[in-house]
Amino acid sequence: SAVGRGPEVPFRSEAYSISAIARGKELRLTLSALDPAAGPPAQDLVFRFGMSGSFRLCPAAELPRHAHLRFLTRESPPRALCFVDPRRFGSWRLGDAWQPERGPCVVSEYQAFRENVLKNLDDRAFDKPICEVLLNQKYFNGIGNYLRAEILYRLKIPPFEKARTVLEALKEQEQERRKKDPSLTLSKKVKLRRENADLLELCHTVPMEVIMAEKQLLDPEHPDNYSAFKNWLQCYLVPGMSSLRDRSGRTIWFQGEPGPMAPKGQRPRKTRCKKSPELKAEPEAASPQVTPRALKRRRRAAAKPLKSEEKEEEKEEQEEQADRPRKGRARGRRAVTAAPASPEAPLSVRRSQRTSARRGQGAAPAV
């Protein structure tokens, strides 16, 4: 697209196929002409998705917003396979090389991933809290923010426990497993591992749960896939859980104590439960002075960082109070007459109506 930040793709073919393979947090697409003799050579692209990147297949005449790269079909009407990234944190680059600093994939290269972690526990990277090390793609390629919270929660591991302390215990367990009775069948070994899964095993099985679920959740007949994903979450963004910011500025959700390496000067915040409809104010409490301008302020405040929410709420309360009619104050009169919501009776008429209603001299006519 005209606003896409990625490099131009030097591949032009009237008929071609697209294949893909994933490794950790990267995806490699290969564009291949159906007629290799007449078409251009194959072209590889490696994608990183950031926080909001995804692929979507849609009619070419109805491209979604932020479709930064499009692959068109030859159908009539044509469709487009689009790389959609609203936040533009994602990217693509030409070539087939994976990023060199990324370790084995936790999903597709589990055994190599496990060995890579256990044989490098002397690395200074493991001096950090386990929640921060789980985001280190050199050792945990594929683990992101919500996955680390879910993994640690299931094992009841404090997020700010020292990583080496947690993982050295796994190294000892690994040695004990090799000494166990060799007569155990493979199915019994698998059963024992499932019943006593460790942190590295959950780094494999928990992402696999999401991948297997997505085969159903991404079906067009299941449009409410995000609500199903939220129901799957046990810790991340779940009401009642605590949260802290780690030293890289990322938020970790957990339950219980944070651990001995928790950042100083921070207090865990509880994720609030959403209010039920029964707790909302009654209709009589709604004030006609809540103008569209005030509603816009509320929306802006909801989109701002958490640090400024309390200040914004106080500011809005003060502004709303200033917008209400105050007897004998010109400022109050100006604020009321500036409301653009709908035509209203003059201030003096409304005051007389309210006064007469209080005295029982008659109900105020509808405006």
Side-chain angles (χ1 to χ4, degrees):
S1 70
V3 296
R5 296 178 180 177
E8 185 71 20
V9 180
F11 182 87
R12 298 290 181 273
S13 177
E14 288 298 321
Y16 62 97
S17 65
I18 302 177
S19 59
I21 184 173
R23 184 176 185 267
K25 287 192 172 186
E26 294 183 296
L27 181 77
R28 183 168 65 207
L29 293 189
T30 300
L31 314 179
S32 306
L34 294 185
D35 184 2
Q43 175 68 61
D44 292 303
L45 306 171
V46 177
F47 287 81
R48 294 178 62 186
F49 292 88
M51 295 180 66
S52 61
S54 65
F55 277 96
R56 195 177 306 172
L57 185 64
C58 60
E62 302 174 8
L63 293 176
R65 294 185 63 188
H66 309 289
H68 300 306
L69 193 61
R70 305 100 179 241
F71 303 94
L72 302 177
T73 69
R74 300 187 67 188
E75 300 169 299
S76 182
R79 290 186 295 169
L81 178 65
C82 304
F83 176 64
V84 183
D85 186 18
R87 296 190 179 185
R88 301 190 189 184
F89 291 163
S91 62
W92 68 86
R93 63 183 185 276
L94 305 180
D96 61 353
W98 306 111
Q99 281 188 317
E101 67 272 17
R102 290 181 178 269
C105 176
V106 297
V107 173
S108 61
E109 303 168 302
Y110 169 67
Q111 199 57 44
F113 148 71
R114 187 181 185 91
E115 293 174 0
N116 184 48
V117 173
L118 294 180
K119 75 179 182 181
N120 288 294
L121 290 181
D122 293 335
D123 192 328
R124 293 178 60 186
F126 295 98
D127 291 336
K128 297 180 179 180
I130 185 63
C131 66
E132 296 180 13
V133 175
L134 284 174
L135 295 183
N136 187 336
Q137 300 301 295
K138 180 179 179 180
Y139 296 107
F140 294 88
N141 185 14
I143 300 300
N145 204 21
Y146 82 90
L147 285 173
R148 67 169 178 171
E150 296 298 315
I151 292 166
L152 295 175
Y153 170 79
R154 295 190 187 191
L155 294 173
K156 308 304 178 188
I157 296 176
F160 291 95
E161 184 66 62
K162 191 174 183 178
R164 187 177 290 106
T165 303
V166 175
L167 295 169
E168 278 182 343
L170 304 188
K171 197 171 184 178
E172 296 174 0
Q173 293 175 10
E174 189 82 4
Q175 295 172 352
E176 292 177 1
R177 281 179 180 175
R178 293 175 182 175
K179 296 178 182 178
K180 281 186 177 180
D181 187 359
S183 63
L184 287 175
T185 62
L186 179 61
S187 60
K188 288 184 178 180
K189 289 180 180 179
V190 172
K191 183 179 179 181
L192 286 173
R193 286 200 170 190
R194 286 179 178 173
E195 292 174 352
N196 304 285
D198 59 36
L199 185 140
L200 298 181
E201 287 169 342
L202 286 189
C203 286
H204 171 74
T205 57
V206 174
M208 284 299 299
E209 288 180 18
V210 182
I211 292 171
M212 298 305 294
E214 280 181 347
K215 292 181 179 180
Q216 297 176 347
L217 296 179
L218 298 183
D219 191 323
E221 296 181 0
H222 297 81
D224 55 345
N225 54 351
Y226 183 64
S227 61
F229 174 71
K230 286 174 64 178
N231 293 334
W232 173 84
L233 294 171
Q234 299 179 29
C235 179
Y236 181 78
L237 290 176
V238 172
M241 295 295 167
S242 301
S243 65
L244 279 173
R245 288 189 180 273
D246 61 23
R247 289 170 180 80
S248 61
R250 304 291 299 275
T251 301
I252 174 69
W253 276 262
F254 61 94
Q255 186 179 51
E257 293 298 321
M261 299 184 72
K264 296 181 180 179
Q266 285 193 55
R267 294 179 61 186
R269 300 183 59 173
K270 285 281 186 180
T271 305
R272 295 181 180 178
C273 300
K274 292 185 177 180
K275 293 182 179 180
S276 60
E278 292 79 7
L279 298 179
K280 291 183 179 180
E282 296 180 356
E284 294 89 331
S287 172
Q289 281 77 29
V290 179
T291 65
R293 184 176 61 184
L295 293 175
K296 288 181 180 178
R297 294 194 197 103
R298 291 175 183 173
R299 295 190 190 105
R300 292 194 206 105
K304 290 183 178 180
L306 294 174
K307 293 181 181 179
S308 60
E309 282 184 356
E310 295 179 357
K311 293 182 180 179
E312 288 296 327
E313 289 175 359
E314 293 176 359
K315 184 178 179 181
E316 285 177 9
E317 289 178 2
Q318 294 173 359
E319 291 175 347
E320 288 179 7
Q321 289 176 0
D323 287 343
R324 294 172 185 166
R326 297 184 181 182
K327 187 174 181 180
R329 291 194 179 184
R331 187 180 70 177
R333 289 197 295 271
R334 285 198 299 272
V336 172
T337 56
S342 59
E344 294 183 357
L347 180 61
S348 58
V349 174
R350 293 204 305 275
R351 283 178 175 169
S352 63
Q353 290 170 352
R354 287 198 298 272
T355 303
S356 61
R358 285 197 300 269
R359 293 176 180 175
Q361 296 178 359
V367 179

